[in-house]
Amino acid sequence: MRHRVAHRKLGRVTDHRIAMLRNQATALLRHEHLMTTVPKAKELRPFVERIITVAKRSLANGKAGRKAPGSNEVRVLTARRLVMRDLQDREVVTKLFDAIAPRFASRPGGYTRLLRIGFRKGDSAEMAQVELVGSEFDPKAKTETETTEAAKPKTKGVGGRLRAAAERLRGKKDDKEEAPKGSTKPASPKGATRKSTTPRKAGGS
């Protein structure tokens, strides 16, 4: 019987498991989407939603009537200290209280979404993407940027890359020689041989 056995162990000791969840929660709140295995994602969702609820509770208490002067500041400070136990990054905490918590002010719960995206190559672990509701991650945006970069012509082979580097170093002055200012003589065409003005040495074979 599994009476009073809560949470998945995830093959880790308690300290390692809590540290992993804290790191994943920080990454999720910073980037608003995260890719991990399904068991880790299921453990991460209540962990992150509890943090968001604490931050949102401070906003709700702040909107209510004040019982004493400065009580709102005390509630916000208490909420920040509770959140800072799990999130060590001050920038993420600031984003949580300034942007994420007001976004979910009227939402009673369910701040995250879990999407199964297939199986991982190598160990066939089922993968999932965890994202905040209202900030859906668009994978097509990344593919569009990759396709535009791939559309640029690339030199194939080592020889082509070496020639391109040599042209960049020379500044392509050998191919296009500019005519001096004030002269009507056109620039020498590509591949034309230049005549030497120095006389040949007399004698010799």
Side-chain angles (χ1 to χ4, degrees), residues 20-40:
M20 182 194 68
L21 291 174
R22 286 173 176 173
N23 292 335
Q24 286 188 336
T26 303
L28 177 61
L29 294 175
R30 178 184 288 116
H31 304 291
E32 300 192 6
H33 69 273
L34 179 70
M35 188 182 300
T36 183
T37 58
V38 172
K40 292 178 185 176

Side-chain angles (χ1 to χ4, degrees), residues 18-106:
I18 293 175
M20 182 194 68
L21 291 174
R22 286 173 176 173
N23 292 335
Q24 286 188 336
T26 303
L28 177 61
L29 294 175
R30 178 184 288 116
H31 304 291
E32 300 192 6
H33 69 273
L34 179 70
M35 188 182 300
T36 183
T37 58
V38 172
K40 292 178 185 176
K42 288 182 178 180
E43 289 298 313
L44 178 63
R45 288 185 67 183
F47 188 84
V48 172
E49 293 188 1
R50 180 185 61 83
I51 295 174
I52 297 176
T53 301
V54 172
K56 194 180 72 170
R57 192 187 306 152
S58 68
L59 298 177
N61 290 336
K63 292 180 180 179
R66 295 184 180 181
K67 297 181 180 179
S71 60
N72 183 26
E73 289 78 3
V74 172
R75 292 192 184 98
V76 173
L77 180 60
T78 304
R80 281 183 176 268
R81 286 176 175 173
L82 290 174
V83 170
M84 285 292 290
R85 291 189 307 178
D86 295 325
L87 303 179
Q88 304 297 325
D89 195 337
R90 293 184 179 274
E91 294 180 0
V92 175
V93 174
T94 303
K95 179 182 179 181
L96 173 64
F97 279 85
D98 294 346
I100 297 177
R103 185 195 309 172
F104 300 123
S106 60

